[in-house]
Amino acid sequence: QLRRAIEECKRVILALPEHSERQKDAVVRLIHLRLKLQELKDPAEDEPNIRVVLEHRFYKEKSKSVKQMCDKCSTIIWGLIQTWYTCTGCYYRCHSKCLPLVSRPCVRAQVSHQAEYQLSICPESGLDSQDYRCAECRAPISLRGVPSEARQCDYTGLYYCSSCHWNDLAVVPARAIHNWDFEPRKVSRCSMRYLALMVSRPVLKLREINPLLFNYVEELVEIR
């Protein structure tokens, strides 16, 4: 019945005057019909409110926002019809159906156990040291983009697939303390969340790491 209604709605849209209010209303109805059909294909019944996966504490979301992206499959979370979860520690978001596939441990746990930065600038070791696989999910990658594009994280120096590296930009601590360079660089999703959680922690002992910087940056001298 839904499929027949969708086909009928398509015919109505084509028959109505272009850009008319009636056509716009018909388009909205078509969207709702398609969402309802998707809901039947992907039911979200009896999902638990809390799920624990790789030290993540996932809580089921009640928000109906459609602007979230799944951190696992890199597709939109349709809050109206899909069940989704958010980790309370690192804010990792994913569909309910993607939870069993999560491969990234919660970075909040890493911050709690080992609150320190990588202080070498982009310490690259090469794709061969990773067996030409994503550093996180182990999917095959290459610089030629076949079967998947290899994207380097400027913080870890490792290479990731496009699902684990969305070209997010972040200030890299090693570049800041060695070169006083605050230009945002491309980092993986995992690194971006780790840096966001670490940003307010006073763990950089600058006078021990790079004391010469005080000779060149006037603001540092004033703060000292």
Side-chain angles (χ1 to χ4, degrees), residues 172-186:
V172 177
R175 293 186 183 275
I177 64 170
H178 292 302
N179 299 339
W180 206 240
D181 175 4
F182 291 87
E183 181 73 25
R185 300 303 209 287
K186 292 178 181 179

Side-chain angles (χ1 to χ4, degrees), residues 62-211:
K62 295 181 173 63
S63 170
K64 300 301 181 183
S65 168
V66 296
K67 295 183 179 179
Q68 304 294 346
M69 295 289 288
C70 176
D71 277 300
K72 180 58 190 175
C73 67
S74 308
T75 60
I76 292 175
I77 297 171
W78 295 99
L80 285 168
I81 60 170
Q82 293 177 316
T83 304
W84 59 291
Y85 288 80
T86 300
C87 173
T88 55
C90 67
Y91 307 109
Y92 187 104
R93 299 182 183 92
C94 71
H95 299 101
S96 170
K97 62 184 179 182
C98 292
L99 276 178
L101 306 175
V102 171
S103 57
R104 180 194 311 163
C106 180
V107 293
R108 169 70 74 180
Q110 186 182 353
V111 168
S112 301
H113 301 157
Q114 187 180 8
E116 58 184 24
Y117 286 116
Q118 163 64 255
L119 294 181
S120 298
I121 296 177
C122 195
E124 181 183 4
S125 55
L127 268 174
D128 56 339
S129 66
Q130 298 179 206
D131 296 324
Y132 294 89
R133 293 184 177 275
C134 172
E136 183 175 318
C137 72
R138 307 304 294 164
I141 54 176
S142 78
L143 294 176
R144 294 182 178 181
V146 179
S148 180
E149 176 190 7
R151 297 180 179 179
Q152 187 178 34
C153 172
D154 199 84
Y155 175 66
T156 63
L158 299 174
Y159 288 89
Y160 299 81
C161 67
S162 57
S163 294
C164 300
H165 191 319
W166 296 3
N167 288 328
D168 294 300
L169 297 174
V171 174
V172 177
R175 293 186 183 275
I177 64 170
H178 292 302
N179 299 339
W180 206 240
D181 175 4
F182 291 87
E183 181 73 25
R185 300 303 209 287
K186 292 178 181 179
V187 296
S188 69
R189 295 292 289 172
C190 183
S191 295
M192 185 197 70
R193 294 194 188 282
Y194 183 77
L195 293 172
L197 290 172
M198 285 284 288
V199 71
S200 61
R201 288 176 173 257
V203 297
L204 289 171
K205 299 178 180 179
L206 197 57
R207 278 186 286 186
E208 295 179 14
I209 300 168
N210 188 8

